[in-house]
Amino acid sequence: MVQWKNLDTLSTYHALFDLKESVDLKSVMSGENGAKRVAEYSVPMACGLAYNFAPKQVDDKVLDGLAALAEEAELTDKYAELYNGAVINTGEKRLVLHQLTRGQLGNDVIADGVNKREFYVSQQKKAAEFARKVHAGEITNAAGEKFTTAVQIGIGGSDLGPRALYIALENWAKANNTLKMEAKFISNVDPDDAAAVLGSIDVAHSLFILVSKSGTTLETLTNESFVKDALEKLGLDPADHMVAVTSETSPLAKNSGYLAAFFMDDYIGGRYSSTSAVGGVVLSLALGPDIYARILDGAAASDKLATNKDIRKNPAMLDALIGVYERNVLGYPATAVLPYSQALSRFPAHLQQADMESNGKSVNRFGEPVNYQTGPVLFGEPGTNGQHSFYQLLHQGTSIVPLQFIGFKDSQIGTDVVIEGSTSQKKLCANVVAQIIAFACGKDDDDKNKYFEGGRPSSIIIGEQLNPESLGSLLSHFENKIMFQGFLWNLNSFDQEGVQLGKLLAKRVLAHETDGALKALADLFEI
Ligand code: F6P
């Protein structure tokens, strides 16, 4: 049996504080030392990616300390508990089974009398068959014409992950002539969102995918009505244009007004649901079931790597441990994810939810307050755009923000131009390596305004090209990193009570059950 203990009760955690000042990043990343580190401090990830942590404030001693922490915290044993079907989500008393949607690492997991791997695979097959029929014109609109656009209606985990994955592969699929349908997403309850999407598509040839695990999310149900209204105004029957993705126990599951329904269950957290039917339906429709299956294969390969006890063979665990070292020992409050890949433009937004909704907690998995910092503030934008935006603070601001770069040798489309002796892709890659060194090594200058202190840590995930497998691997890497960090902080990373209070108050405002400042603020909007 594993022991669930707070981070500050572990002796190996306290031992890390003695190593705190051991690495001067500026000197270890300069000259030949730096070259050696770049070669040595790299760990292979699944599907051709590599995690390079040379520009982090760690050395072999710190790494040994982190390995000891991983052991004392029983990280891989806790992971095994999770994939073998223990009740890891203590707050909601649920199993945590998203890894089962893309592979099987341990025992058969039987819950509610059902083999869960078989259930998830059956839903994948159902989505694949449905998508193939739509592509073949066997499922059409009422006029017998093919659907050309898939529109996902959902919010949070029912939007961010699937949207990030679609955007990540849209141009790759076009370049490889495999894009089956265009995908669009409606999420915000702001009517301008739904109106803008509806205004940009051919509604009569659009298939809407209503996605809500709970089937009760106000924004999603409102947008469903918005879309149904638009369909009816065009003389179209919403039941011919809409499918649902939900859990079998949700109120939506009982509704017959859909062309088809696909299911996930309570054991798949919203932010971990991209590889369940939540992502599977839209991605199978847009990219095709075969490409979606390749994303799942990439994620499964990465899940398998995360079972390794050796931190140098387990990039997700290593990344997690370094992150906790930075947060709790070095005291950095934030972190940024900076993909040098336009295709990953929504990936930081997905990680904002995945990370901050999972580990933004002040009580441990037993509901007791913790005496240490937990999840950092996470933000990000693609490079090089970010360089012309918030990098000023990252380079010269008073806070040190550890950075997570992601970059690929090749672009997805292949079309490029040589300007001033280099392609755009080479310019992109040149920028990311330049940034790593600028952050780590800084620059002396007598003019303090032009002085770069350096010593600012980063890591980079490097791959050949962003494709379905490497994308799946990337998705799972971060899911597993967040899980290992949750284990270290002794949190329940799989509930999200912190989002409930706002929902409750919004309901009161709409019901006019307000007083005091809540009423005064509502009056400003004439609600
Ligand atoms: O409000 C937060 C949240 O519960 C997320 O965790 C979830 O991803 C999102 O809302 C959407 O939930 P649902 O899929 O049930 O509509």
Side-chain angles (χ1 to χ4, degrees), residues 411-468:
S411 68
Q412 290 185 315
I413 302 184
T415 318
D416 210 334
V417 284
V418 176
I419 291 175
E420 293 177 15
S422 59
T423 60
S424 304
Q425 181 66 22
K426 296 267 184 243
K427 290 183 179 74
L428 178 71
C429 296
N431 269 280
V432 72
V433 301
Q435 289 297 331
I436 290 171
I437 298 303
F439 281 117
C441 301
K443 177 181 89 72
D444 278 337
D445 204 303
D446 292 339
D447 178 348
K448 285 296 165 211
N449 199 35
K450 294 183 177 170
Y451 169 75
F452 289 69
E453 192 185 17
R456 300 187 178 220
S458 64
S459 61
I460 181 163
I461 292 173
I462 304 180
E464 291 285 320
Q465 192 196 40
L466 183 64
N467 60 27

Side-chain angles (χ1 to χ4, degrees), residues 155-158 212-215 217 270-271 353 357 496 499 503:
I155 198 164
S158 297
S212 178
K213 172 180 158 181
S214 61
T217 304
R271 53 198 173 274
Q353 185 201 14
E357 206 174 65
Q496 56 287 320
V499 302
K503 289 185 192 174

Side-chain angles (χ1 to χ4, degrees), residues 154-160 211-220 245-246 264 269-273 278 353 357 495-496 499-500 503:
I155 198 164
S158 297
D159 167 62
L160 291 162
V211 186
S212 178
K213 172 180 158 181
S214 61
T216 58
T217 304
L218 174 78
E219 291 91 329
T220 301
V245 179
T246 190
M264 30 103 73
R271 53 198 173 274
Y272 298 96
S273 65
V278 166
Q353 185 201 14
E357 206 174 65
D495 66 359
Q496 56 287 320
V499 302
Q500 297 305 339
K503 289 185 192 174

Side-chain angles (χ1 to χ4, degrees), residues 88-249:
I88 296 295
N89 177 351
T90 41
E92 295 171 318
K93 301 192 177 39
R94 289 177 183 169
L95 284 57
V96 175
L97 298 182
H98 52 275
Q99 277 96 355
L100 264 192
T101 61
R102 58 237 187 176
Q104 175 132 21
L105 293 167
N107 306 330
D108 279 352
V109 179
I110 314 290
D112 314 323
V114 172
N115 178 314
K116 283 295 165 182
R117 172 77 185 143
E118 284 172 11
F119 168 66
Y120 301 134
V121 170
S122 76
Q123 293 306 310
Q124 266 153 27
K125 284 193 179 147
K126 193 171 164 190
E129 274 159 32
F130 180 81
R132 287 200 180 98
K133 284 186 181 161
V134 170
H135 300 153
E138 289 166 35
I139 295 175
T140 62
N141 69 7
E145 297 153 342
K146 274 190 176 185
F147 290 113
T148 55
T149 307
V151 186
Q152 177 128 332
I153 307 170
I155 198 164
S158 297
D159 167 62
L160 291 162
R163 190 197 293 247
L165 297 184
Y166 171 72
I167 292 172
L169 289 181
E170 185 183 20
N171 286 326
W172 177 91
K174 280 182 188 162
N176 288 280
N177 278 323
T178 60
L179 191 72
K180 305 282 185 193
M181 293 169 81
E182 188 184 27
K184 297 272 185 178
F185 296 83
I186 298 173
S187 55
N188 202 335
V189 74
D190 180 343
D192 292 344
D193 187 13
V197 172
L198 291 172
S200 73
I201 57 172
D202 173 2
V203 176
H205 295 92
S206 294
L207 186 59
F208 295 87
I209 311 161
L210 181 76
V211 186
S212 178
K213 172 180 158 181
S214 61
T216 58
T217 304
L218 174 78
E219 291 91 329
T220 301
L221 298 180
T222 305
N223 279 325
E224 179 189 24
S225 300
F226 198 104
V227 166
K228 282 185 168 167
D229 194 49
L231 286 164
E232 278 160 3
K233 280 187 182 138
L234 290 170
L236 301 166
D237 182 352
D240 293 335
H241 283 261
M242 207 171 266
V243 300
V245 179
T246 190
S247 61
E248 276 170 322
T249 48

